[in-house]
Amino acid sequence: MTAHDIVVLGLPGSGKTTFLAALWHLLTSDEVETKLSLVTLKAGESAHLNEIAALWRRAKVQERTLHAGDRTVTMSLRNGTASEFELSFPDLAGESFQQMWEARECAPQVAASLRSSNVLLFIHADKIKAPGWIVEDAEDAEAAGLPQEAGKPVPWNARMAPTQVKLVDLLQSLQVPPLETGARSVAIVLSAWDKTAGAGMLPDEYLKAHLPLLSQYLAYGLDKAWTVRVFGVSAQGGVYDETGKPPKDEAQRIREMDVPSERISVVSAEGQSHDLTEPLQWLLP
Amino acid sequence: MTAMEEVDEDSGLSCANPGCKIASGGRCLEGFPDASACPQFGKALVIVPGTTPPPRPAAPGIRLSHAQSLSISEATSLLRGGLCNVISLVGPFDSGKTSLVAGMYDLLQRGPVGGYSFAGSSTMHSLERACHDSRRESGRTEAFTERTERGEVLFFHVDLVSEGCDGKRAALFGNRAGEEYSMVQDEPDRAKAYPELKRSDVLTVLVDGAKLLHAGERHQVRAEVRLTLRAFVEAGVAPPWQRLAIVLTKLDAIRKDEAGCAGALSYFDALVAKVREDYASTFAEVQSFIVAASPKTTNAHRGEGMPELLRYWMADPARNAPAAIKQREVTKERAFGRLPLVATARAGS
């Protein structure tokens, strides 16, 4: 059987596990048409997949303890009528990438996974940290006639960097030794897309507006042989219940939907669907 | 136990020597018949903890590039890698050298600047650190820049792509403590030890705008600029293809002082005119800029004047411009060689 691999990247809390949970439900339920279909239920880490998919069906937030650490999920899939193949997703913990940015090192097993030619890069569209300038705060305070509150100076720490800086650094690291591996395809997933859909922009436009440094780097900094496509993905379809907190009306509305797969929304320049396998199919050779 | 601990004996018969048994009814280890004469007697027993075994080393991680400012050797390797403009930032302490680079990088975080787009950087940790104290996360209410430490020159690196152009061009910004450039005024030959100067495509001399507002300081500022340039020229570190940028910093401070604003700006114009008069033939080009790279007040927007300066920094280096070669007539040694060609002779008649 042919084997393909797609490495799943993203900072902590960028939506990687929710995507995998919704994908496993989508592939196992046959509720909507998908570009890739499941050949057999046998999968690497199937217990984990079933566990996170169960939480997803119940509209409950994924608990971080369930997906701590790095793991590789494998699935047997078929692309339309073509022959089947095994797809492996090294699902690396967001902390691994945080460590790459802050400590400038990564574990050997993480480095091995990062040499995949196919990259699924997650960015939480609603939790983008942009650089805020003091002088602009001063302008706002002056316009509102409010005094600025002086705080205690906080020393610099790499963790404070804007989201786009960390992502540019991650992509730069994939282009030079020891992680360089030649041309790659990168599917950028702007997760929690439903929360930002009001902006009325296509995913490409949203990325350019909210992550301008990353957008410039994708256009001019990547090797010409690399290909990039941006997807807006809502794998949850709304707000889910959190453990230990009162249930939410929105989560109840989502649970009441007859076809859970219809919670999912995938937006790209080519249109909108419920098919989470679209970005995966685009990455396959 | 990782720290030394003092133990007081309840009995009162204590000794600082851990080997002494006096506290348990034994004799003084030092041999004093009267234990109270022993210098160790009565002092708290000092327990020296055993050596804590060192923590087991974690599995070795794979090192990635450091993302800090580049050393001279790292900058030299980058120069060999492709198109690159070297920019030296010269000015006394607190004239705004680091703020200039940090301001440019922070503007790129919002989009292309002056027709140039960001295409990468190998010094992102240092750039982020330089920007920190002008950002909200610093907890400050007024932008601040850390003092550059004295020592070897370090370089900030940013790759840029010009609008309508496909290829990257690197920008290397030499960052050295202002005091070291000031010392060149006393000892011009010191400049020969600053490798960034001779290789610079654009020598950027900073004029502290806040100081031009003070009658007592402005003459000193002008003298420092002129003495520094003269020292560089005398030391032979200002090649003829080098461009000179004279940059007035802290525009916000100048605008804030309504009474002194016009005077400071005209003083700067006069300074630029004098530099042009003296050095127009020494440098390939002399240009002046007025900027607010990291304003402390709302009298200027962050990055005012920076797009023009970035375009000047990133222009094709003058050292690569082809120079016209004068045709020189060589008189032929042999009489035959001096005969005009038939066609030339006919045309002449």
Side-chain angles (χ1 to χ4, degrees), chain A residues 271-284:
Chain A
Q272 187 167 353
S273 75
H274 300 300
D275 185 5
L276 271 188
T277 68
E278 264 186 41
L280 310 181
Q281 195 226 19
W282 178 80
L283 283 171
L284 296 174

PDB file of all heavy atoms in Angstrom, chain A residues 271-284:
ATOM      1  N   GLY A 271     -14.740  27.773  -2.807  1.00  0.00           N
ATOM      2  CA  GLY A 271     -16.116  27.661  -2.310  1.00  0.00           C
ATOM      3  C   GLY A 271     -16.175  27.137  -0.896  1.00  0.00           C
ATOM      4  O   GLY A 271     -15.182  27.141  -0.175  1.00  0.00           O
ATOM      5  N   GLN A 272     -17.373  26.648  -0.510  1.00  0.00           N
ATOM      6  CA  GLN A 272     -17.612  26.208   0.866  1.00  0.00           C
ATOM      7  C   GLN A 272     -18.165  24.792   0.875  1.00  0.00           C
ATOM      8  O   GLN A 272     -18.926  24.417  -0.026  1.00  0.00           O
ATOM      9  CB  GLN A 272     -18.619  27.156   1.517  1.00  0.00           C
ATOM     10  CG  GLN A 272     -18.811  26.908   2.987  1.00  0.00           C
ATOM     11  CD  GLN A 272     -19.563  28.040   3.674  1.00  0.00           C
ATOM     12  OE1 GLN A 272     -19.830  29.073   3.066  1.00  0.00           O
ATOM     13  NE2 GLN A 272     -19.902  27.840   4.928  1.00  0.00           N
ATOM     14  N   SER A 273     -17.775  23.993   1.864  1.00  0.00           N
ATOM     15  CA  SER A 273     -18.294  22.619   1.965  1.00  0.00           C
ATOM     16  C   SER A 273     -18.226  22.169   3.424  1.00  0.00           C
ATOM     17  O   SER A 273     -17.796  22.922   4.293  1.00  0.00           O
ATOM     18  CB  SER A 273     -17.455  21.671   1.103  1.00  0.00           C
ATOM     19  OG  SER A 273     -16.221  21.432   1.734  1.00  0.00           O
ATOM     20  N   HIS A 274     -18.642  20.900   3.653  1.00  0.00           N
ATOM     21  CA  HIS A 274     -18.503  20.307   4.995  1.00  0.00           C
ATOM     22  C   HIS A 274     -17.337  19.324   5.007  1.00  0.00           C
ATOM     23  O   HIS A 274     -17.182  18.558   5.955  1.00  0.00           O
ATOM     24  CB  HIS A 274     -19.782  19.543   5.373  1.00  0.00           C
ATOM     25  CG  HIS A 274     -21.012  20.389   5.404  1.00  0.00           C
ATOM     26  ND1 HIS A 274     -21.151  21.477   6.227  1.00  0.00           N
ATOM     27  CD2 HIS A 274     -22.162  20.303   4.684  1.00  0.00           C
ATOM     28  CE1 HIS A 274     -22.338  22.027   6.028  1.00  0.00           C
ATOM     29  NE2 HIS A 274     -22.969  21.338   5.091  1.00  0.00           N
ATOM     30  N   ASP A 275     -16.540  19.333   3.931  1.00  0.00           N
ATOM     31  CA  ASP A 275     -15.547  18.286   3.733  1.00  0.00           C
ATOM     32  C   ASP A 275     -14.170  18.670   4.286  1.00  0.00           C
ATOM     33  O   ASP A 275     -13.391  19.385   3.643  1.00  0.00           O
ATOM     34  CB  ASP A 275     -15.461  17.981   2.222  1.00  0.00           C
ATOM     35  CG  ASP A 275     -14.531  16.824   1.947  1.00  0.00           C
ATOM     36  OD1 ASP A 275     -14.047  16.206   2.922  1.00  0.00           O
ATOM     37  OD2 ASP A 275     -14.286  16.540   0.759  1.00  0.00           O
ATOM     38  N   LEU A 276     -13.863  18.135   5.467  1.00  0.00           N
ATOM     39  CA  LEU A 276     -12.568  18.421   6.101  1.00  0.00           C
ATOM     40  C   LEU A 276     -11.402  17.749   5.377  1.00  0.00           C
ATOM     41  O   LEU A 276     -10.254  18.052   5.676  1.00  0.00           O
ATOM     42  CB  LEU A 276     -12.575  17.897   7.547  1.00  0.00           C
ATOM     43  CG  LEU A 276     -13.058  18.803   8.662  1.00  0.00           C
ATOM     44  CD1 LEU A 276     -12.785  18.144   9.999  1.00  0.00           C
ATOM     45  CD2 LEU A 276     -12.378  20.161   8.619  1.00  0.00           C
ATOM     46  N   THR A 277     -11.706  16.816   4.467  1.00  0.00           N
ATOM     47  CA  THR A 277     -10.601  16.141   3.775  1.00  0.00           C
ATOM     48  C   THR A 277     -10.067  16.987   2.619  1.00  0.00           C
ATOM     49  O   THR A 277      -9.052  16.643   2.023  1.00  0.00           O
ATOM     50  CB  THR A 277     -11.018  14.753   3.232  1.00  0.00           C
ATOM     51  OG1 THR A 277     -11.963  14.927   2.165  1.00  0.00           O
ATOM     52  CG2 THR A 277     -11.628  13.881   4.305  1.00  0.00           C
ATOM     53  N   GLU A 278     -10.715  18.099   2.332  1.00  0.00           N
ATOM     54  CA  GLU A 278     -10.261  18.966   1.228  1.00  0.00           C
ATOM     55  C   GLU A 278      -8.796  19.406   1.366  1.00  0.00           C
ATOM     56  O   GLU A 278      -8.020  19.256   0.432  1.00  0.00           O
ATOM     57  CB  GLU A 278     -11.151  20.210   1.132  1.00  0.00           C
ATOM     58  CG  GLU A 278     -12.270  20.062   0.114  1.00  0.00           C
ATOM     59  CD  GLU A 278     -13.055  21.361  -0.057  1.00  0.00           C
ATOM     60  OE1 GLU A 278     -12.424  22.432  -0.094  1.00  0.00           O
ATOM     61  OE2 GLU A 278     -14.293  21.281  -0.133  1.00  0.00           O
ATOM     62  N   PRO A 279      -8.434  19.966   2.544  1.00  0.00           N
ATOM     63  CA  PRO A 279      -7.026  20.371   2.668  1.00  0.00           C
ATOM     64  C   PRO A 279      -6.068  19.187   2.556  1.00  0.00           C
ATOM     65  O   PRO A 279      -4.971  19.315   2.021  1.00  0.00           O
ATOM     66  CB  PRO A 279      -6.935  20.989   4.068  1.00  0.00           C
ATOM     67  CG  PRO A 279      -8.313  21.152   4.575  1.00  0.00           C
ATOM     68  CD  PRO A 279      -9.209  20.302   3.746  1.00  0.00           C
ATOM     69  N   LEU A 280      -6.506  18.003   3.048  1.00  0.00           N
ATOM     70  CA  LEU A 280      -5.635  16.816   2.993  1.00  0.00           C
ATOM     71  C   LEU A 280      -5.458  16.370   1.551  1.00  0.00           C
ATOM     72  O   LEU A 280      -4.350  16.046   1.105  1.00  0.00           O
ATOM     73  CB  LEU A 280      -6.225  15.668   3.828  1.00  0.00           C
ATOM     74  CG  LEU A 280      -6.639  16.002   5.257  1.00  0.00           C
ATOM     75  CD1 LEU A 280      -7.187  14.761   5.951  1.00  0.00           C
ATOM     76  CD2 LEU A 280      -5.450  16.536   6.030  1.00  0.00           C
ATOM     77  N   GLN A 281      -6.581  16.349   0.813  1.00  0.00           N
ATOM     78  CA  GLN A 281      -6.512  15.917  -0.582  1.00  0.00           C
ATOM     79  C   GLN A 281      -5.629  16.862  -1.388  1.00  0.00           C
ATOM     80  O   GLN A 281      -4.871  16.436  -2.244  1.00  0.00           O
ATOM     81  CB  GLN A 281      -7.919  15.854  -1.187  1.00  0.00           C
ATOM     82  CG  GLN A 281      -7.937  15.079  -2.483  1.00  0.00           C
ATOM     83  CD  GLN A 281      -8.719  15.771  -3.579  1.00  0.00           C
ATOM     84  OE1 GLN A 281      -8.961  16.976  -3.517  1.00  0.00           O
ATOM     85  NE2 GLN A 281      -9.106  15.021  -4.576  1.00  0.00           N
ATOM     86  N   TRP A 282      -5.717  18.170  -1.083  1.00  0.00           N
ATOM     87  CA  TRP A 282      -4.896  19.149  -1.807  1.00  0.00           C
ATOM     88  C   TRP A 282      -3.406  18.885  -1.552  1.00  0.00           C
ATOM     89  O   TRP A 282      -2.573  19.073  -2.446  1.00  0.00           O
ATOM     90  CB  TRP A 282      -5.269  20.577  -1.378  1.00  0.00           C
ATOM     91  CG  TRP A 282      -4.420  21.594  -2.059  1.00  0.00           C
ATOM     92  CD1 TRP A 282      -4.560  22.078  -3.321  1.00  0.00           C
ATOM     93  CD2 TRP A 282      -3.238  22.225  -1.536  1.00  0.00           C
ATOM     94  NE1 TRP A 282      -3.559  22.968  -3.618  1.00  0.00           N
ATOM     95  CE2 TRP A 282      -2.730  23.075  -2.527  1.00  0.00           C
ATOM     96  CE3 TRP A 282      -2.566  22.147  -0.314  1.00  0.00           C
ATOM     97  CZ2 TRP A 282      -1.586  23.847  -2.357  1.00  0.00           C
ATOM     98  CZ3 TRP A 282      -1.424  22.913  -0.136  1.00  0.00           C
ATOM     99  CH2 TRP A 282      -0.951  23.759  -1.141  1.00  0.00           C
ATOM    100  N   LEU A 283      -3.090  18.394  -0.350  1.00  0.00           N
ATOM    101  CA  LEU A 283      -1.681  18.161  -0.014  1.00  0.00           C
ATOM    102  C   LEU A 283      -1.111  16.910  -0.675  1.00  0.00           C
ATOM    103  O   LEU A 283       0.101  16.806  -0.868  1.00  0.00           O
ATOM    104  CB  LEU A 283      -1.521  18.021   1.505  1.00  0.00           C
ATOM    105  CG  LEU A 283      -1.560  19.304   2.332  1.00  0.00           C
ATOM    106  CD1 LEU A 283      -1.599  18.976   3.816  1.00  0.00           C
ATOM    107  CD2 LEU A 283      -0.365  20.189   2.035  1.00  0.00           C
ATOM    108  N   LEU A 284      -1.975  15.965  -1.003  1.00  0.00           N
ATOM    109  CA  LEU A 284      -1.477  14.694  -1.528  1.00  0.00           C
ATOM    110  C   LEU A 284      -0.899  14.868  -2.924  1.00  0.00           C
ATOM    111  O   LEU A 284      -1.390  15.673  -3.699  1.00  0.00           O
ATOM    112  CB  LEU A 284      -2.605  13.656  -1.562  1.00  0.00           C
ATOM    113  CG  LEU A 284      -3.167  13.270  -0.197  1.00  0.00           C
ATOM    114  CD1 LEU A 284      -4.379  12.354  -0.375  1.00  0.00           C
ATOM    115  CD2 LEU A 284      -2.096  12.569   0.617  1.00  0.00           C
TER     116      LEU A 284
END
